[in-house]
Structure formats: C-alpha cells, structure tokens
Amino acid sequence: MPTLLLDLGPLAHLSGGEGPLTGQQMKDDDSLVETEGKGILIDGGHIQRISDSDEMRAEYVGGKRGFGLVGEEIEGLNVIEVGGRAVIPGLVDSHTHLLWGGDRSREMRWRQQGESYQSIAKMGGGIVHTVQQTRSMRLEDLISSGLARIDVALANGTTAMEVKSGYGLSTDSELRLLEAASQLQGVSIDSTWLGAHASPPDIERETYVEQILSEQLPAVIDSGQARSADVFCEPGWFTLEETEDICRAAMEGGLDIRLHVDEFVDGGGLSLAAELGAISGDHAHWSDSQARAEASAAGTLQCFLPGTPFSMGETHFPPASECVEFEYPWCAATDFNPNCQILSLPFIGNLLSQRMGVDPLASLVAVSRNSGYVTKHEMGLKHGMVVEGGAADLNILDSPFWESWCQRPGISPFAATMKGGDLMLH
Ligand code: NIG
Ligand code: FE
C-alpha cells in the first residue's frame, strides 16, 4: 500500500544540483531545508511526490486525519501524521568494518598503560587478533552478528551502509566475509574488499601481497561480490608501492577504489588516492594541505572518521572545518570496528558539531548526501537526500528542529526511521 506522510515539520531534504556538496553549500538552509508544512507520497520504495501537506490531504484522503506515527489506512493509503516533527534523510554509513568476531576490550587498558596501536599489534592484539577470532566463525554466525549490528544502526537512523571485509586475510575467509555481507538485509549494503588490511599471522608482507595479486584479488573479482577495493595504506602496514599495485589490479578488474590513508602519520596516502582517482581517501587525519587540494581536484572525497581517535582516547580530530572553508569535498562515517564500536551516525554528528566546530547542517550533509556518493544505494537510487524519484529512506526526529539530529550524545534522536518505504517506530 502506498504511504502518505503529512504535516511534516522542517524537511532537511538536502537535494538540488549534482554531486557532493562543498563549502557554504553544505550549510545553506535556504536551499537545503524546506520550512514546515510539506507532505510526501511514497510507493514501491520510492518517493513519488513532495508537495504541500494541506493540498495532498485534500487531494488524496478527502481532508481526513490519521492517528499519528503508527499510521492508519484511509482511501487505500497508509496515512502517517508526522505532527510537525522535523524530517531528515536516511543516514549513509560510508565506512564500516561490520563483520568480525571476538572482543578487544582489554586493549583500552593497554593503551592507558602507554601501549600504542602499533605496539598492541606487535603484542598479538589489534587486527590479527580479530582475524583469528573471525576465521573460526561459521558463515551463519557472521551473518547473524551482522544483522544484530544492523538493527542497532537502524535504530540510530542508518539506512545504507558500506561493509568491508578485511578480518579474513586469506582467499577463502575473505570470500566468506563478502558472502556474509551479500546476505545481510535491513539496510542497503555496498561491499568493499579489504584483503590488504594487515599481513596474516606467519606470512611475510611481500609474500602476502604476491598472494593477493595472484590469487585473492582475482577470486574476489570473479565472485562479483565486491564493488570496491580498499587497502590500509599506512607506514607499518602496506606501502605506497604495494597499495598502488593492488589498486591498479583492482581497477583493471572493474572495482572502485577506497583507501585507508594517513591515519596515524602523513604517509602520502591521500596523494596516492588522488593520483589513482579513488572515490575516497579515508581517515585522512594527518594528510598535508597539498594532498587535500590534490584530492579535491581529483574528485576524491576525504572520508573523516572522528570516532576512531575518540575511541582511542585522543583529543585531536581531522580538519573537517578547514575542508568546508577550502570547499573540499568530504564525508564522514563511523568506522565501526573492534577498536571503535560506534554504530550511530548521530554520535559522529555530535563529534563533528560539538568537538570539531562543524555546522550541524554541514555535518548532516557529510553523513547523508555526501556519503551517498561514496556508498551507492543497492538499487542505484539517489539516497542521502529526500527527493522525488529517490529512495524512500528517511528519519523522523523526535523534535520540531532538524538541528536536534546531532545533539543527543548516546541517545537516538529519532522517533522513527523509514527504509524502502517501511516505517519503523523507535
Ligand atoms: O579503520 N586502520 C585500519 N582499520 C581499522 C581498524 C581496524 C582494527 O583496529 O581492527 C580502522 O580504524
Ligand atoms: Fe576503517
């Protein structure tokens, strides 16, 4: 049955023009936010029409009223009274490591005792520890833990998600992670292969890179289960040369490129991402200003992941405000992983607005419209914005102010989330 949302409060639709928004456009409420009083007609998982609520009420349901967010069938339509609550797009989490097993909670104390990410990895913690735990999981268990995590993300307004492999580090286990990702549901999934996340235990990095190029990557390309390829390009993990070799082979196989770059030091990774024409250079925490300008010129988005330094007890965040000032395209995401267990994009909005000085509307654009260019909708629809013809993915806030989306740390700000036309009350 088609759905009719009536009596909306402010609608931060974020539509208009093409491509990611940059600079002042990201905070321009005149063009990105409609004042209250709109209605939305939804059918077949698409937004069919956005128009004046009073006119739509008269035209479709003879002026009748429904009950509230629970919905009521009137004239063959599921009528939902939004009651003046603000509406924003479904959020797009453009960087997650959703699928893994085990638990690395002990590492917090090790960090407080002075160990670094690098020294914890050398002690047998970090990525390789998670790899051992993940390899022993059955496909069904990977899927069910992924589904439970998706439920948490949905309750926090996420309707589309990138899911990376990367905790298998062998051809079979990486393929199993991509297979598990392909069986997830609840949000739109966009899969990325991250076989070059670390060297597996007991294999030299050079040997592993050869294995990737001769066996793992061709098998991933053959499987058709990854749209993009990613490499952890960072001193101590994969070098610029190794990253370039892997990416060029992936591009020949038709994959888009995402990269983990400059997370702990400026290793030149963002420049390489720009040179390769990557969709995004992620973390980009310590990249220099020239690399940021190169990325912008190449159309490579910087995907900031402030939850990672936050989770590691750091107080220095990547320079998102400067990127607004210089009109560089950027987005933001959770980086959900065993070391950063954040599944809430509103919490990332808290960090952007309450710690990094980013305007609340620009912060919203970063985790919806701009992330939607990096992470594609599984049916190829426009998403991360509320637009006629686009995906019927949106959030109804528990407030008449759209600004409330990023000002409730630790609490979901949403009264309801719509995914593909289905409304879930929270
Ligand atoms: O994006 N830095 C590389 N990968 C993840 C962390 C992985 C892990 O610690 O398990 C990240 O932060
Ligand atoms: Fe990551």
Side-chain angles (χ1 to χ4, degrees), residues 95 97 104 117 126-127 130 167 197 232 260 263 283 305 308 335 337-339:
H95 181 132
H97 307 252
R104 293 196 351 234
Y117 187 81
I127 296 173
T130 304
Y167 290 109
H197 194 192
F232 187 13
H260 280 73
E263 178 178 354
H283 287 289
L305 308 170
T308 310
D335 194 22
N337 73 64
N339 200 39

Side-chain angles (χ1 to χ4, degrees), residues 82-240:
V82 179
R85 296 176 180 88
V87 173
I88 67 171
L91 305 178
V92 179
D93 199 343
S94 51
H95 181 132
T96 84
H97 307 252
L98 191 73
L99 300 171
W100 46 268
D103 191 329
R104 293 196 351 234
S105 307
R106 293 178 308 167
E107 293 179 10
M108 181 76 239
R109 273 189 139 177
W110 297 349
R111 274 194 293 276
Q112 289 181 340
Q113 288 158 9
E115 301 294 344
S116 66
Y117 187 81
Q118 291 80 346
S119 65
I120 288 172
K122 288 205 181 95
M123 288 157 63
I127 296 173
V128 166
H129 179 80
T130 304
V131 166
Q132 282 150 349
Q133 307 289 313
T134 305
R135 281 181 178 175
S136 64
M137 284 173 82
R138 298 178 311 160
L139 178 68
E140 305 87 279
D141 299 331
L142 282 170
I143 296 169
S144 58
S145 106
L147 290 172
R149 289 166 183 167
I150 284 175
D151 282 347
V152 177
L154 260 170
N156 286 281
T158 296
T159 54
M161 206 183 246
E162 186 237 22
V163 174
K164 297 178 193 292
S165 67
Y167 290 109
L169 309 188
S170 70
T171 303
D172 285 353
S173 54
E174 285 294 310
L175 287 173
R176 208 154 55 93
L177 285 162
L178 291 171
E179 171 62 28
S182 77
Q183 293 195 37
L184 297 174
Q185 51 192 341
V187 296
S188 169
I189 301 285
D190 190 9
S191 296
T192 300
W193 165 74
L194 176 58
H197 194 192
S199 302
D202 309 326
I203 302 183
E204 287 298 314
R205 199 175 68 229
E206 292 74 13
T207 314
Y208 184 51
V209 171
E210 279 165 24
Q211 280 181 14
I212 283 179
L213 291 171
S214 62
E215 185 193 309
Q216 189 180 130
L217 176 55
V220 167
I221 293 167
D222 264 7
S223 77
Q225 283 188 326
R227 191 180 64 80
S228 311
D230 190 348
V231 176
F232 187 13
C233 176
E234 183 85 18
W237 276 269
F238 292 89
T239 65
L240 291 170

